[in-house]
Amino acid sequence: MGMTQQMAEHQANIIDGRHHARKLESRVAAAATDLKTNHGITPTLGVILVEGNPASEIYVRKKRQKAESLGIKSIVKTLPPDTALSAIESQITAWNSDDSIHGILLQLPLPGRQDPYDLLQTIAPAKDVDALHALNAGKLFWQQTRQPMPCTPTGCLILLESAVKKFDGLHAVVVGASPLVGRPMAQLLLQKNCTVSIAHSKTKDLPALTRQADILVVATGNADLIRGDMIKPGATVIDVGINRLADGRITGDVCFEEAERIAGAITPVPGGVGPMTIACLMANTVTAAFHAHALELESLFKSADN
Ligand SMILES: NC(=O)c1ccc[n+]([C@@H]2O[C@H](COP(=O)([O-])OP(=O)(O)OC[C@H]3O[C@@H](n4cnc5c(N)ncnc54)[C@H](OP(=O)(O)O)[C@@H]3O)[C@@H](O)[C@H]2O)c1
């Protein structure tokens, strides 16, 4: 059999995000039941949605449905598109001092793509279930684990743990450097003892870098940015990107058809990282509810058979 034929027959393992999300969700649901039956507490998530972004409205609906299915109450405060930042802040501060709200989520992006940094700092760090407050980002830097964990990167790590046996010394390349995904992802991979490179839009010769990656996590918002010949044979590839094509289909940042012939394991889009992000948000919310009542809870993110 010729080399080309062998290459053509290789098929990466598909990392099933829905399967791993269900496993995490069952732990979340069990913890929510424990809170309710043994302590009379209903874990509650407050979501602020500024109208005007159809994708955000879909994400909030999905989060709400998932919360309800796991025994988490959700309250959505919908504000008109022209809401002043001060009015959003008032809602946040009201929920900060409301003991019945355990998690606060400000759905991003803000209208007009305004910088959300200042508003995010008004969320009480213990209720910051998206882990975007500077204090929580700083605690991650210090390898602390009691604070809310960044949802998408934590979900990616759980998926990676299902595919990678030993992380020590592996070269992990993270493409994308946002505070939401790329930067905290790099921190988590560093904690796993990977050698981490972070690429972004100014990176020179991206293919030369990605070809060195044993672990490749891509989060840029560019459909098909990563082609098959940019992937090291056998690499584990996590595709965070969500891109809507002209025909309405959703695709990631990795050209899946090419990548699955080269990679060792890969996440699909949809059905990869997306479900994990929501599951991690739910885990942060239930954990915040335990901590708000000085109750201990073993990390929901860890399981014997990840
Ligand atoms: N599946 C999920 O649950 C989930 C969750 C969150 C986000 N997402 C998706 O993930 C993607 C990224 O989200 P984000 O919030 O991190 O986006 P973002 O804030 O726009 O950041 C994008 C990052 O990608 C870099 N980048 C852009 N074009 C690039 C290129 N051609 N080559 C290399 N790097 C490039 C940017 O570089 P600079 O820093 O130089 O600008 C930036 O660091 C989006 O598609 C988003 O929808 C998915």
Side-chain angles (χ1 to χ4, degrees), residues 67-304:
E68 262 152 43
S69 76
L70 301 180
I72 298 170
K73 183 175 167 189
S74 64
I75 299 172
V76 178
K77 181 75 188 172
T78 306
L79 299 169
D82 56 356
T83 304
L85 294 185
S86 59
I88 304 176
E89 184 177 340
S90 300
Q91 182 60 55
I92 292 172
T93 45
W95 278 347
N96 280 344
S97 49
D98 181 343
D99 290 344
S100 70
I101 303 276
H102 305 108
I104 301 174
L105 176 94
L106 174 62
Q107 183 66 40
L108 299 176
L110 293 175
R113 302 223 154 239
Q114 294 179 82
D115 184 349
Y117 178 82
D118 288 337
L119 260 185
L120 290 169
Q121 308 320 304
T122 67
I123 298 175
K127 298 189 180 189
D128 168 37
V129 285
D130 245 352
L132 292 172
H133 191 286
L135 186 71
N136 290 324
K139 285 184 174 178
L140 182 70
F141 178 99
W142 278 98
Q143 307 200 45
Q144 300 299 296
T145 53
R146 263 188 75 83
Q147 75 283 3
M149 295 299 280
C151 298
T152 301
T154 300
C156 291
L157 190 65
I158 293 171
L159 297 180
L160 280 168
E161 283 171 340
S162 76
V164 177
K165 281 198 183 72
K166 199 167 185 293
F167 286 74
D168 287 5
L170 294 184
H171 188 183
V173 175
V174 180
V175 187
S178 72
L180 184 68
V181 188
R183 284 168 200 244
M185 186 74 246
Q187 288 294 332
L188 290 176
L189 288 163
L190 196 53
Q191 285 182 22
K192 296 292 286 184
N193 297 327
C194 290
T195 302
V196 182
S197 301
I198 309 178
H200 44 75
S201 67
K202 308 287 191 300
T203 295
K204 290 187 177 130
D205 202 353
L206 182 66
L209 184 66
T210 58
R211 271 183 216 122
Q212 295 172 35
D214 304 303
I215 291 171
L216 181 60
V217 181
V218 191
T220 74
N222 290 273
D224 287 350
L225 175 70
I226 305 296
R227 307 296 302 259
D229 64 1
M230 295 167 72
I231 296 170
K232 180 175 175 175
T236 304
V237 179
I238 304 289
D239 188 354
V240 183
I242 301 176
N243 306 292
R244 188 174 287 277
L245 302 179
D247 63 8
R249 276 185 307 134
I250 299 287
T251 119
D253 289 355
V254 178
C255 178
F256 186 85
E257 297 70 31
E258 293 177 10
E260 69 173 341
R261 294 196 199 107
I262 312 285
I266 184 168
T267 57
V269 178
V273 175
M276 289 305 295
T277 296
I278 300 189
C280 290
L281 173 70
M282 300 302 144
N284 277 339
T285 303
V286 172
T287 305
F290 270 80
H291 290 174
H293 293 271
L295 296 166
E296 281 307 314
L297 176 68
E298 211 174 307
S299 172
L300 293 170
F301 298 116
K302 297 267 173 285
S303 89

Side-chain angles (χ1 to χ4, degrees), residues 7-80:
M7 292 286 282
E9 281 168 18
H10 172 81
Q11 186 81 30
N13 292 325
I14 308 300
I15 304 173
D16 182 351
R18 293 192 180 107
H19 166 75
H20 291 282
R22 274 196 298 273
K23 288 206 298 184
L24 174 55
E25 284 161 11
S26 70
R27 298 198 290 275
V28 172
T33 303
D34 174 15
L35 259 187
K36 208 170 210 165
T37 50
N38 298 323
H39 305 281
I41 299 158
T42 303
T44 303
L45 173 67
V47 180
I48 299 172
L49 170 65
V50 185
E51 285 175 312
N53 184 329
S56 291
E57 287 166 26
I58 295 170
Y59 291 144
V60 167
R61 194 178 335 123
K62 280 188 179 174
K63 288 169 188 173
R64 188 168 201 174
Q65 286 165 349
K66 184 57 72 184
E68 262 152 43
S69 76
L70 301 180
I72 298 170
K73 183 175 167 189
S74 64
I75 299 172
V76 178
K77 181 75 188 172
T78 306
L79 299 169

